[in-house]
Amino acid sequence: MSTLNPTQVAQYKEQGYICPVTILNPEEAALSRAKLEAMEELQGKPMDRIQCNKTYLLYDWADELVHHPKVLDAVEALIGPDILCYMSNLFTKEAGTGSYVSMHQDAAYWGVDADDVVTAWIALSPATAESGVMKVEPGSHTSERSQVNTYAKDNLLTRGQAIPENELEPEKQVYMELEPGQMSLHHFMLVHGSDPNQSDDRRIGLAIRYVAASAKKIGKPESALLVRGQNKGNFLLEKRTKDFSKGARTVEHIRALRRQLHNIFEASPDADWKERLRLGVTKNAAIALSYFKELSAKVSA
């Protein structure tokens, strides 16, 4: 039975989002958060940007959420029975910090040639307007807007991608508030972002990016994890690492991220020489680091 009802599916098509949808009970959500924070305590620091991308290849708690039947049933109602997990991003905003996400559209820079792309954003802590929950512009998924790279210090996006203020409609924006264990769903064309966390608790959310398995990846080859049905597109398939050793998981994770790097830091055709130089240096440094981390993981395995 689908996690969504016909009214919710209709809202997604018309408004580009659904919120809230309950996936976990409070105890299950607390357990997922406890596993995440136990790992952070063990390593002595919060998860870094590398660990926060495609986290499902590193940790069981994230793998379980990516494959959760209620999540996949909801996604299937929106994009069909053949589903790939393109990536996941863990967004943690520490209490009282300036971290934010500028208003943007994911479709502008993901390089996926499809309309069937949806993000499931699962809250592992209270996600409120005060704590910096995601805000969206309903109905904005029907047209593409311009974006600029700001590289702002506290912006959680890789390039600080932002839609200019004069193209936004703040009076229409809706906060998608969630209790721990609830999720929102939004189309990858939907204009969205989030404010800093002004609460007394961390704001933790796992954003899982699902695409229909018929989707075509534009640019250099990238990988995705088949989570339901059959693969019918041109994505390379990742291995599910649930039973892998720590070293083997790290190798699979680093290789998947390295495939992304070739596209993430690709300059747009209208970029000037300074932008091209900046992206080129960043890409080459990140790729070199990935090979070092892969070698280190193999040695320690």
Side-chain angles (χ1 to χ4, degrees), residues 219-236:
K220 291 185 171 63
E222 285 190 42
S223 59
L225 183 66
L226 184 66
V227 291
R228 181 170 286 185
Q230 297 180 328
N231 182 37
K232 300 176 180 178
N234 68 343
F235 279 89
L236 303 175

Side-chain angles (χ1 to χ4, degrees), residues 84 86-87 104-117 144 147 159 161 188-189 209-212 214-224 233-236 259-260 262-269:
L84 294 170
Y86 174 35
M87 59 180 157
H104 67 287
Q105 291 174 304
D106 296 325
Y109 59 98
W110 279 7
V112 179
D113 185 13
D115 187 52
D116 303 328
V117 187
E144 187 172 339
Q147 294 191 157
R159 301 189 199 179
Q161 301 93 324
F188 82 145
M189 280 280 288
R209 326 301 193 162
Y210 293 105
V211 305
S214 58
K216 179 183 177 182
K217 183 68 187 76
I218 303 169
K220 291 185 171 63
E222 285 190 42
S223 59
N234 68 343
F235 279 89
L236 303 175
R259 298 183 193 109
Q260 276 191 339
H262 290 283
N263 292 314
I264 288 176
F265 295 109
E266 186 68 24
S268 61

